[in-house]
């Protein structure tokens, strides 16, 4: 079974993320680690990625560092909504994500929920 998936530096296009989202749920059922660093994922990609994350309910570690979804407040909300049901998540890496000031405000407000 697949427990770790590293797709770092693969330049995940929205089409590639769409293909991942079309994979059957069981393909991700045992996944505990996911790394998508350095992929230039923007808000559109994050929206598609949320479909994939919904299939990975046993994730313990997610690394989304060095992507662009933080440039949009909507991207941060999409991430927050994707992660709120992960009960096993122990590590979330968001290094070198550029956040616009509005994203900080929205993120702070949503964390309080």
């Amino acid at each position: 079974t697949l427990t770790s998936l590293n797709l770092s530096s693969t330049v995940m296009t929205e089409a590639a993320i769409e293909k991942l989202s079309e994979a059957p749920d069981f393909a991700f059922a045992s996944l505990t680690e996911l790394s998508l660093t350095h992929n230039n994922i923007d808000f559109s990609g994050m929206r598609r990625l949320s479909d994939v994350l919904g299939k990975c309910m046993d994730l313990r570690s997610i690394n989304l560092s060095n992507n662009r979804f933080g440039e949009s407040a909507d991207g941060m909300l999409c991430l927050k909504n994707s992660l709120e049901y992960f009960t096993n998540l122990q590590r979330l890496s968001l290094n070198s994500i550029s956040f616009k000031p509005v994203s900080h405000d929205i993120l702070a407000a949503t964390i309080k929920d």
Side-chain angles (χ1 to χ4, degrees), residues 5-53:
L5 182 59
N6 185 344
L7 296 172
S8 297
S9 300
T10 56
V11 188
M12 295 292 290
T13 63
E14 191 171 342
I17 295 172
E18 175 73 26
K19 288 291 185 192
L20 279 177
S21 70
E22 293 172 357
D25 291 358
F26 68 83
F28 300 103
S30 60
L31 196 65
T32 59
E33 295 180 32
L34 177 62
S35 181
L36 293 170
T37 65
H38 296 89
N39 275 301
N40 209 25
I41 297 171
D42 60 7
F43 166 64
S44 297
M46 180 53 70
R47 193 174 49 212
R48 289 282 184 205
L49 186 59
S50 66
D51 295 337
V52 175
L53 291 174

Side-chain angles (χ1 to χ4, degrees), residues 62-77:
I62 303 172
N63 191 340
L64 294 169
S65 299
N66 298 290
N67 283 292
R68 296 181 326 139
F69 60 86
E71 296 173 0
S72 159
D74 292 332
M76 291 307 301
L77 284 175

